[in-house]
Amino acid sequence: MKNIVETVAVFLRKYRKKRELTQEELAEKSGLHPTYIAKIESGRQACSLKTLSRIADALKVSPHALLGKIDKKQAAIYKFQNEHLWDILEKGNKSDKEMIFAVAETLIKKKQKNKLSQSVRRNKVKRN
């Protein structure tokens, strides 16, 4: 199964073309920058759920449509992980929750930074 960034890219492109919109027109309708739309559509950039919702609204589809289909096994895994995470969060106090969210944000930013560094290195290798 493709990763979620690639899946969103495929379905974003599919629905944008189905609506006969350019990336610039979609950017205008969603209030986003055309370059950002291009990066999401090419699979080079992940987006937040809020951004996914804005794009879905502009395309007049549900956000789920941009996530594609998942099989029953994967859905069960996601459900278990989601329920487990909520169980952990419910048991914690306010400072525990703040710390968990801070750690999650740090990990996400680190992952994005690593992907960017890898992309820069690949581009340097291609130029040489």
Side-chain angles (χ1 to χ4, degrees):
M1 182 167 116
K2 295 179 183 178
N3 73 41
I4 194 71
V5 174
E6 292 170 341
T7 301
V8 168
V10 167
F11 285 96
L12 168 56
R13 187 176 315 107
K14 172 187 167 184
Y15 285 109
R16 180 182 61 78
K17 288 185 176 189
K18 186 176 181 179
R19 302 289 187 265
E20 298 180 350
L21 295 171
T22 65
Q23 289 178 342
E24 292 78 14
E25 291 168 332
L26 177 57
E28 186 176 323
K29 285 179 174 286
S30 61
L32 300 167
H33 195 277
T35 305
Y36 188 47
I37 294 289
K39 286 180 180 180
I40 295 169
E41 191 173 298
S42 68
R44 292 179 290 142
Q45 176 72 48
C47 68
S48 69
L49 291 175
K50 182 177 179 180
T51 298
L52 186 75
S53 181
R54 288 171 66 178
I55 293 169
D57 287 346
L59 291 169
K60 296 182 173 37
V61 299
S62 77
H64 294 96
L66 299 176
L67 298 173
K69 295 180 180 177
I70 59 173
D71 61 34
K72 288 182 181 182
K73 181 179 177 183
Q74 192 64 43
I77 292 169
Y78 288 153
K79 183 179 179 188
F80 171 78
Q81 290 172 335
N82 189 34
E83 289 172 355
H84 184 63
L85 179 58
W86 280 113
D87 287 344
I88 292 169
L89 289 174
E90 285 179 352
K91 292 176 185 172
N93 61 33
K94 184 179 177 182
S95 66
D96 290 341
K97 292 173 186 175
E98 289 172 353
M99 182 177 63
I100 289 169
F101 285 116
V103 168
E105 283 182 336
T106 301
L107 291 173
I108 291 167
K109 286 177 184 177
K110 183 176 180 179
K111 186 175 179 181
Q112 289 171 342
K113 185 178 176 183
N114 287 342
K115 283 185 179 182
L116 180 61
S117 296
Q118 290 172 353
S119 177
V120 168
R121 283 192 294 258
R122 270 189 249 118
N123 287 337
K124 285 182 181 178
V125 169
K126 285 180 184 177
R127 285 187 218 148
N128 293 333

